[in-house]
Amino acid sequence: MNKKAVVPSVLAFVGAGLLLIAFTRMRSLITGAPDPLMGKLTASEYESSWFDLIETAQNDICNVVAEPKHAQASKVIVNRTLHLTSVSSSYRWETYDTFSPTPFNQSDTFMSKMHYDRVCYNPKSETFERAPGKGVQLIEPLWGMLRDPFDVYCKEKALSMHGHAEQNGQSKAHIMPQGYAPYAYSLTDEEPDDESLWRSHGLPPWHSSLRPSKDPQMGVAYRFPQNIHLDLGSAYFGQWDANGGAAGGAASGQWFYNMYHARGQPFNRFIAVEVEALDPKTAFDQLPEDLVGVYTLMNVGLTMGQGDKLDTVEMIKRVVKEEDFFVFKLDIDSAPIEEPIVKSLLEDDPHNGGASALVDELVCLRLSYYNFAITNLQ
């Protein structure tokens, strides 16, 4: 996403940001080729095989996923993501390279990869310039229905796996957010293929960046990045409704808080948008103390393509800066609205101030996206 991450010597990596449910993946494939300034994605062999199954799987997804080859692959992928995301809550990543290198796990061959290039800031030219260095980070593959295949969607045909409890239709077991996604990098122009360089958890140097700016009196000054979360279709923080429905479900902010904020990367802004009327007292009673003052509830519907002050993409461009780490959740239970938002992001030129250059992770938790995502990716 053309995001730059600065390490202590003002070195940086640029590339396509890790995106859940494949935002960068979709843009590069729809436009026909990856943008060289944004790095690239290399699909795993298993992900690539699904592009040959589109026509077959589109109307028979449950039976296709249940085939022995795909059932076994699903077990490997979900087991791996569960293992990575269930690391002890005592572990926090407050600095780059939090964890020591660990051997490459063979299950990760099912994962796809996002690639990054290193850059250095030149204060004379006031630009970032290429420098020796390559980075790579795993991203969960596109496969099946783009959801946890062990959830309830296929009813009696649903897959089962020992140790993976029955889900309620909102499982996120297949998602591997940044911080939990293995990565590696080198300071040469060779891809980091040494298995000893891989880290299973922690912040990679492309997580966020300092923004350099020239001050006439002080020289080059740097703006520190923010961690920002936009929850579009938030409901209440801890549950869907004021009566305790679906506590901790996908519609709540609790999961994002647990996966990012509580792991040592607190959100500076947590913007919750919900069109259904919420009780303000209930909403704020559910917040943990360290979100009070950070959390903003917008109990109105945002618009798309109308050019007004509530336009979703324009609001993102006002709030988020390129150096920030931005997590965008889009789940408003309306594909006719969700799809135009994603398409608008895809079409908003990242080299001309477009919002697509600002998004690090996009989470679309919609089963109805299967047709949209896979068909367009073809």
Side-chain angles (χ1 to χ4, degrees), residues 92-132:
R92 294 160 60 86
W93 21 93
E94 298 173 337
T95 61
Y96 293 116
D97 297 340
T98 319
F99 279 42
S100 299
T102 56
F104 184 82
N105 189 298
Q106 288 304 307
S107 297
D108 291 341
T109 57
F110 283 89
M111 306 297 180
S112 296
K113 296 178 179 178
M114 307 298 289
H115 298 264
Y116 301 82
D117 293 319
R118 182 187 178 205
V119 296
C120 295
Y121 181 69
N122 186 333
K124 293 183 178 180
S125 63
E126 301 180 30
T127 60
F128 282 91
E129 300 174 355
R130 278 285 289 116

Side-chain angles (χ1 to χ4, degrees), residues 44-110:
S44 66
E45 182 178 346
Y46 184 64
E47 176 179 315
S48 298
S49 72
W50 272 90
F51 290 99
D52 297 326
L53 293 174
I54 293 173
E55 295 303 322
T56 301
Q58 197 74 273
N59 299 307
D60 194 25
I61 185 64
C62 292
N63 284 325
V64 174
V65 171
E67 292 175 5
K69 177 179 74 171
H70 299 304
Q72 179 59 30
S74 295
K75 289 181 180 180
V76 173
I77 294 168
V78 174
N79 257 325
R80 180 60 173 152
T81 56
L82 283 171
H83 174 76
L84 289 166
T85 56
S86 62
V87 64
S88 170
S89 59
S90 64
Y91 290 114
R92 294 160 60 86
W93 21 93
E94 298 173 337
T95 61
Y96 293 116
D97 297 340
T98 319
F99 279 42
S100 299
T102 56
F104 184 82
N105 189 298
Q106 288 304 307
S107 297
D108 291 341
T109 57
F110 283 89

